[in-house]
Each structure stands twice: as C-alpha cells, then as structure tokens.
Amino acid sequence: MNNQTCPDWAEALLNGFSQIFLQRHPLCGLLCLLAILIGAPALLGGALLGGVAGLLTAQRRGYPKAERQSGLYSYNGVLLGLLISQHFAWSALLPPLILACGGLSAILTRQWLKHATQPDDLPAYTAPFVGLGWLLMGTVPESTFALTEPDTLSVLVAPFTGLAQIMLLDQPVAGALIALGLSIANRRAALWALIGASAGVLIALLLDEPASALLGLHSYNPALAALALSQARRQPWLPLLGILLAIILTPGFAALHLPALTAPFILACWLVRASGRMFKARVDSRFESP
C-alpha cells in the first residue's frame, strides 16, 4: 500500500505495527496502535519508542529502503517496547533500554534477512523479540490463575482477547480492533487468525484451564501460526498443522520456566516449513534418480 499523503517515516512505522501480524498495511498498523492506546495506554510510549529505534537504526546503517518501508526492522522493536514497558517499573534507564533493544532487534533482523535469501529459508518472524525478551526476563515462576467459571459471552470474546495477547494486551476490544485491521489488510488472514485463536480457547477449555483460556494465553500463538502459514493458498492443512503444533508446544516453555512469548508460533512454523522443504527435496530426488 503506497499512500502519498503519508510521510515515508510514518508509513514505515505503521507498517512495523502491522508486521507484528505479518501484514504490510499502514491502516492495519494504525488500528494496532489504537488497540494499544485503548487496551494499555501506559505501554504506547514504549511501543512507539521501540519501533522508532528499529527504524532509525535501519536508516543509519543503510539497510534497504524497501525493507525499511515494509516495517521489517520495526516490529520486533515495537514488541520489545511493549514487553519492557509492561515488566519493568518506570525509571530513567527504561527509555535507553528500549532504544538499545529496538536497535539491536533491527540489526539481528538484518543479519537474518541477509542469510535467508531463498524462498524455502526459515523466516526470522519474531525471533529477535523472543531471544532478547528471554535475556531481559530470565526464568519466570509458574503462573497460577484463579478458577473462573466461563459464561457464553466471555467464551465468545476470548478469541479476540487472544489476538490482543499477541501485543501483550488482555482487552477483547483491543483484539477486535486488531481483527478489523487484519480484515482490511487481508480478510483471509483475519479469518485464519480467528480460527487459530478459537482453537486455542477450545483446547484450553477442554484441558480445564478456563482462566487462561479466557485471558487468551492459549490463543495467541496458534493465531500467529495460522496467520503465517495461511499465506500458502490452496494448502489449508498448513495453517491447521501450525495451529496444532503451536498448541502442543506451548506447555513445554512453562515446564522450562521460560516465558512462552511467541516462541511456540516460531517453532511451529519452522517445523512445518522445514518438513515441507524435506518432503519437497525427497520428491525431487525421486524424480531425478534414474
């Protein structure tokens, strides 16, 4: 989307917000920004600072303009700004920490893009965010939630809460804004995201974990996996497999006392893509063999 009325830097920054959901669409990014403003206004400054840090680092280091404008160097910084603002008390050291992490995430993303030049190579996704997030947070104690008796309304809005949790928010209104942004950018992607989030809610309820189900904690990774793998049209089994793997992998991080963040989504997508690449190579070798 090329909007002549939007300055290059603003478009790049808004695309950074939309790239969290694997889209390049400034209006989608604007709605994601609005979701933060409504869902957790105290985190908005950190999100903007992280995104700007990634963008400025990319500009100063001369990274390709097309990649900068697509938001590829901003979205990990946005997520890191959200995470740092949420988990650390405000101090004079907080803005420099966000700037440093946002800039470092852009450098890591560039290194990944330089080496992942083939269509079958594994994408970085949110790996810089996860890696730096683990360094910042370390191990976390096992979470416990008060038992919650789900009602019909809370179950119906839980998938939207799951979408909001991708940006560390817990308000279904924020998730609805994100869903609207996705619908504007790509209706098919929006549908798959809601399918993934709904599957996470259903599995959590079946596992008798109503509180985490209603908070969307089992939903955001399968939603992201569905978003990423739905880009391969006419292959609906790919996002379905990604959803299943993301759900299966999530409890393992709690067992390791690591915050899951978006790691289950990344691993699920890498496994699906790597398996597809191995299958393709095996088929090609059979056809080539005499």
Side-chain angles (χ1 to χ4, degrees):
M1 178 177 176
N2 186 18
N3 187 353
Q4 298 298 327
T5 63
C6 184
D8 281 357
W9 66 267
E11 181 183 352
L13 185 59
L14 290 175
N15 282 336
F17 280 85
S18 68
Q19 283 288 358
I20 295 170
F21 300 89
L22 295 98
Q23 308 299 314
R24 178 186 173 169
H25 200 288
L27 183 52
C28 176
L30 182 61
L31 287 166
C32 292
L33 194 153
L34 184 59
I36 300 171
L37 180 62
I38 291 176
L43 305 184
L44 181 60
L48 289 169
L49 199 58
V52 168
L55 180 59
L56 288 178
T57 300
Q59 288 177 339
R60 291 291 179 88
R61 297 177 72 88
Y63 296 164
K65 184 176 180 180
E67 294 176 354
R68 300 198 313 259
Q69 288 301 115
S70 296
L72 296 180
Y73 298 113
S74 303
Y75 69 97
N76 279 292
V78 171
L79 289 171
L80 284 163
L82 287 166
L83 181 69
I84 293 169
S85 299
Q86 184 184 72
H87 285 273
F88 295 95
W90 174 258
S91 72
L93 293 177
L94 206 62
L97 179 61
I98 294 173
L99 288 170
C101 289
L104 183 55
S105 73
I107 295 171
L108 293 172
T109 301
R110 176 59 188 157
Q111 292 304 309
W112 198 295
L113 290 173
K114 281 172 61 177
H115 293 92
T117 57
Q118 301 302 316
D120 288 339
D121 288 338
L122 300 180
Y125 294 128
T126 51
F129 160 64
V130 172
L132 292 172
W134 282 345
L135 288 175
L136 289 167
M137 297 175 66
T139 58
V140 294
E142 187 174 352
S143 300
T144 56
F145 300 101
L147 290 176
T148 303
E149 191 65 33
D151 55 49
T152 303
L153 178 60
S154 61
V155 171
L156 289 175
V157 302
F160 292 100
T161 308
L163 286 182
Q165 285 286 0
I166 294 171
M167 295 200 299
L168 309 178
L169 309 174
D170 59 4
Q171 299 297 322
V173 175
L177 286 169
I178 293 167
L180 176 60
L182 283 172
S183 299
I184 294 170
N186 186 330
R187 282 182 291 180
R188 186 171 181 272
L191 177 61
W192 272 111
L194 286 171
I195 290 173
S198 300
V201 172
L202 179 61
I203 295 299
L205 291 174
L206 290 175
L207 293 174
D208 198 25
E209 298 182 17
S212 57
L214 300 183
L215 286 172
L217 299 179
H218 285 264
S219 302
Y220 66 95
N221 277 296
L224 277 172
L227 265 173
L229 297 171
S230 67
Q231 295 174 350
R233 294 181 176 273
R234 300 180 182 179
Q235 293 180 305
W237 61 271
L238 287 177
L240 290 173
L241 181 57
I243 289 169
L244 180 62
L245 284 172
I247 291 172
I248 291 172
L249 289 168
T250 297
F253 292 93
L256 295 171
H257 301 291
L258 280 172
L261 301 177
T262 54
F265 142 67
I266 298 169
L267 289 178
C269 291
W270 283 352
L271 284 170
V272 171
R273 291 176 66 98
S275 300
R277 185 168 61 184
M278 290 173 59
F279 177 76
K280 181 181 176 182
R282 182 171 296 181
V283 171
D284 290 345
S285 65
R286 285 185 178 181
F287 278 108
E288 291 172 359
S289 59

